[in-house]
Amino acid sequence: MMAAELLRPFEFEFFRNGLIVATMAGALCGLVGVYVVLKGMSYIGHGLSHAIFGGFAASTLLGINFLLGAGAWGVASALMINGVTRRRVIRSDAAIGVITTASFALGLALFAFFDGEGGSFDAALFGSILGVGTQDVIAIAVVSVLASTLVFLRYRALLFTTFDPEVAEVSGVNTARMDALLMLVLAGSILATMKILGVTLIAAALVIPPAVARMLTTSFSRMLWMSSLIGACCGFVGMNLSYHLDVQSGPTIVLVAATLFAVVFMGTGPLVRGRRNGLRPAHAR
Amino acid sequence: MSGGPLVALHGVTCRYASEDVLVDVDVAVGAGQFVGVVGPSGSGKTTLLRAVAGSMQPLRGTVTRRGGLRIAYVPQVETIDWSFPVTVAQCVLMARVHGRRWPWPSTAERAAVSEILARLDIEHLSDRHIRELSGGQQQRVFIARAMLGEPDLLLLDEPTSGVDVRLRHEILHLLDDLNARGLAILLTTHDLNGIAAHLPHVVCLNRTVLGAGRPVDVLTPDILERTYGASMQVLEHGGMPVVVDSFSHRHAAASHKHAHEHTHEHADRGLT
């Protein structure tokens, strides 16, 4: 029976844990990703996840708790990237490339040098359902609550800073603090989701759901919840596929999201959208 | 008017990286004044606005603002991300960033937004995405956002750059109207004839103030040459100065002559 086959993995606790984490990871990345995409920080998200891999390697090999070790590393990288992008000595994308890729390389070197490659190495790179425990469920729940609380309570300041930082600053918003808060939430989200999504694939979970949501709405508040919902759905479906296809969870979640993107992209092409919203197809500005 | 200017800059020097963008600048804006700052690109016009607004701290000198002064800022439309997902009403509501804590607006906030949109004749557009508007409507949205904060002083950075003549008139009339109701305005512009000559007070800036006063006193060949580093002629039309760029004048004459020779060539060839 087809249904029985689909429901079978739910008998296993590791799968239920993995599914909860994947769904929450998708929602969390979808929410945080809205700011990442609209602020043009996609590359920062991509880089930061790679940077955190260095902290992951160091803490694994030193036997420190991964969340603490990689967490401290991630926060340090996030603040460093934030600092470098605010000063304009060299172009920010180059600066990010230097900091994050060096950190990623350090992680790879540490694993190779101490011969520590194995399950946790693969999981950190590509995501895995195995080894997702209660601690991970708690970690992602805590970060999700923090991120949602921040978005809810600082909604207006974050929106203003994201849309128009210069005028926000003149209007008395501490944009530097808002940027730093966003970086910290981003680092926390990457940390909490890297085991299930894998550092090399997190960027897609941050970017695709908001991009899909943006194609479906022109309202910021709607984009926030739509992106979270889309991320959650992709996490849920991707995790199930991962089990049935016996492929790592990171790739399946990303591929589900990418497929959805392609479908929505074709369904909301300039002509379709123009007819529905009364928009001119190519409004040049 | 309760004495003293709204904002005054004394000997202000501002620096980016290691370059002084403004040097020893003195500028004051009084209540109800309408002031235009003119100068070439890179002359520090935007920096001056930032110093007035307080988002740029001067390296030297002082900026004094009247106690409780409310300043609103209208950025250059070129700096706006028009694909950003906000509607007109959502965009205008941003001015209430220090309003209540909840993301959604209160009934009073909603009413205030409607009222300001109605005042600027764009109330019917409140649920439209910002990209679906004409250039003039887009400019009005950002003026509406600034006005929602009930400012005493409105700062505008190049409000007429890249707009056509009709829209320039529209914006100028709107600002004139707001000014007539008591709002002080400080704007930057590179448009000498279209904007600056129509304003009651003009400041010529090129890193430092080279002249300030009525257009007829300030827009002179001498001050303009020092401001733009190029010689310009100033004619008078209906009591207003009209600035003529001598280079383009010569250039136009040259191309006219060229065209003339060109026709002759054709004529010669036709004969052979």
Side-chain angles (χ1 to χ4, degrees), chain B residues 55-77:
Chain B
S55 65
M56 171 96 192
Q57 292 307 314
L59 185 70
R60 277 190 301 276
T62 54
V63 180
T64 22
R65 295 182 195 85
R66 185 188 284 178
L69 179 72
R70 278 171 304 195
I71 298 179
Y73 192 98
V74 179
Q76 279 189 51
V77 289

Side-chain angles (χ1 to χ4, degrees), chain A residues 30-115:
Chain A
L31 179 71
V32 177
V34 169
Y35 295 96
V36 171
V37 166
L38 293 177
K39 279 180 83 73
M41 284 165 51
S42 308
Y43 185 61
I44 296 181
H46 183 77
L48 190 55
S49 57
H50 282 71
I52 284 177
F53 181 75
F56 170 78
S59 51
T60 306
L61 296 169
L62 293 172
I64 309 169
N65 180 299
F66 140 76
L67 288 174
L68 289 177
W73 196 296
V75 168
S77 314
L79 294 179
M80 207 153 38
I81 292 171
N82 192 39
V84 170
T85 48
R86 287 185 79 88
R87 283 216 338 247
R88 293 163 190 152
V89 189
I90 51 170
R91 282 185 61 121
S92 61
D93 54 345
I96 295 161
V98 172
I99 295 171
T100 62
T101 316
S103 185
F104 184 62
L106 181 66
L108 293 174
L110 282 174
F111 268 117
F113 191 71
F114 291 101
D115 212 13

Side-chain angles (χ1 to χ4, degrees), chain A residues 206-221:
Chain A
L206 285 167
V207 172
I208 300 177
V212 174
R214 178 63 190 87
M215 289 189 282
L216 296 171
T217 182
T218 53
S219 156
F220 181 75
S221 49

Side-chain angles (χ1 to χ4, degrees), chain B residues 116-149:
Chain B
I116 201 77
L117 290 178
R119 238 174 90 188
L120 296 176
D121 294 324
I122 47 173
E123 197 186 6
H124 58 292
L125 304 171
S126 82
D127 293 323
R128 290 269 198 97
H129 183 244
I130 50 170
R131 188 177 222 161
E132 297 170 43
L133 311 175
S134 71
Q137 291 165 340
Q138 286 176 335
Q139 189 65 256
R140 278 164 189 265
V141 170
F142 286 88
I143 293 174
R145 184 178 72 178
M147 295 304 293
L148 189 68

Side-chain angles (χ1 to χ4, degrees), chain B residues 48-233:
Chain B
L48 179 69
L49 289 187
R50 287 191 184 136
V52 168
S55 65
M56 171 96 192
Q57 292 307 314
L59 185 70
R60 277 190 301 276
T62 54
V63 180
T64 22
R65 295 182 195 85
R66 185 188 284 178
L69 179 72
R70 278 171 304 195
I71 298 179
Y73 192 98
V74 179
Q76 279 189 51
V77 289
E78 281 88 351
T79 66
I80 301 297
D81 173 8
W82 294 104
S83 65
F84 196 95
V86 282
T87 62
V88 168
Q90 284 173 340
C91 182
V92 172
L93 187 68
M94 284 182 199
R96 289 290 165 92
V97 66
H98 301 298
R100 66 181 202 159
R101 176 135 275 186
W102 309 128
W104 49 88
S106 66
T107 318
E109 284 176 333
R110 236 184 272 268
V113 170
S114 297
E115 193 197 316
I116 201 77
L117 290 178
R119 238 174 90 188
L120 296 176
D121 294 324
I122 47 173
E123 197 186 6
H124 58 292
L125 304 171
S126 82
D127 293 323
R128 290 269 198 97
H129 183 244
I130 50 170
R131 188 177 222 161
E132 297 170 43
L133 311 175
S134 71
Q137 291 165 340
Q138 286 176 335
Q139 189 65 256
R140 278 164 189 265
V141 170
F142 286 88
I143 293 174
R145 184 178 72 178
M147 295 304 293
L148 189 68
E150 294 171 7
D152 309 298
L153 172 61
L154 184 63
L155 307 177
L156 302 100
D157 196 5
E158 296 279 359
T160 58
S161 74
V163 305
D164 59 30
V165 180
R166 192 183 56 81
L167 184 51
R168 193 181 69 208
H169 284 173
E170 189 188 317
I171 294 167
L172 205 54
H173 274 135
L174 174 64
L175 294 178
D176 216 28
D177 197 38
L178 295 172
N179 178 245
R181 298 186 206 183
L183 177 69
I185 297 175
L186 176 64
L187 60 76
T188 63
T189 182
H190 61 260
D191 188 349
L192 292 170
N193 295 320
I195 300 290
H198 296 267
L199 304 181
H201 193 93
V202 171
V203 175
C204 287
L205 184 79
N206 194 344
R207 294 175 66 222
T208 192
V209 175
L210 296 163
R214 292 185 308 154
V216 68
D217 299 327
V218 176
L219 301 181
T220 61
D222 175 45
I223 294 179
L224 288 172
E225 175 153 10
R226 283 193 290 141
T227 306
Y228 287 88
S231 74
M232 298 185 186
Q233 296 176 22

Side-chain angles (χ1 to χ4, degrees), chain A residues 193-214:
Chain A
T193 58
M194 68 176 277
K195 269 194 182 172
I196 208 88
L197 296 170
V199 290
T200 51
L201 297 162
I202 283 178
L206 285 167
V207 172
I208 300 177
V212 174
R214 178 63 190 87

